[in-house]
Amino acid sequence: PLPEQFLFFMHRMEQRKIINKEDCQQVIVNEYLGLKQGIGKHVDCDVFGDTIVSLSLSADCIMQLYETKPQETYNFKTLENTGYVYSIKLERRSLLVLKGDARYKWKHGIQK
């Protein structure tokens, strides 16, 4: 079960048909202190389900999305970049939803 402090967010996402509570497997909380922290580019492991939701709380940041080359047999660990990078501003108190191609065919990361 989800921790009680996340039920408000879960309810709001269900109301907006972003994700169903039953489909939410876990919550990961990352706190970034200062500009020297980031997330290396990656595609989340398949065990996290078909939808990844990221809620930015404290500050704006820039997330880069890296397009990956098609694979005959999908393996998130061996995805190669095409060289195309798209940057998006994640504003404080914004919600990012990755599903479909955005979830599986694009790496995402936040530079230090």
Side-chain angles (χ1 to χ4, degrees):
L2 291 175
E4 191 171 315
Q5 55 268 50
F6 292 99
L7 294 180
F8 169 78
F9 298 114
M10 190 70 244
H11 179 69
R12 297 281 300 262
M13 288 187 289
E14 281 187 306
Q15 284 180 321
R16 289 164 175 77
K17 302 198 184 322
I18 294 168
I19 194 168
N20 294 318
K21 185 177 177 182
E22 295 78 33
D23 295 335
C24 190
Q25 301 299 317
Q26 64 179 285
V27 174
I28 299 172
V29 177
N30 295 324
E31 181 179 17
Y32 301 100
L33 305 171
L35 300 175
K36 295 185 178 183
Q37 294 181 309
I39 306 170
K41 57 186 169 186
H42 68 284
V43 171
D44 289 287
C45 181
D46 296 351
V47 300
F48 294 120
D50 290 332
T51 304
I52 302 293
V53 177
S54 176
L55 176 63
S56 297
L57 295 174
S58 299
D60 298 353
C61 71
I62 303 296
M63 178 176 275
Q64 286 78 34
L65 300 173
Y66 304 85
E67 184 181 43
T68 62
K69 296 177 182 177
Q71 291 181 319
E72 212 168 293
T73 304
Y74 181 80
N75 182 340
F76 76 96
K77 293 181 181 180
T78 60
L79 288 169
E80 295 180 42
N81 297 341
T82 64
Y84 183 75
V85 180
Y86 182 75
S87 295
I88 58 172
K89 181 178 182 181
L90 300 179
E91 295 182 359
R92 178 181 168 271
R93 300 181 64 187
S94 67
L95 188 73
L96 172 73
V97 180
L98 299 175
K99 55 174 46 174
D101 285 354
R103 158 71 171 103
Y104 290 105
K105 296 182 180 178
W106 289 75
K107 293 181 182 180
H108 58 277
I110 298 173
Q111 294 181 347
K112 293 180 183 182

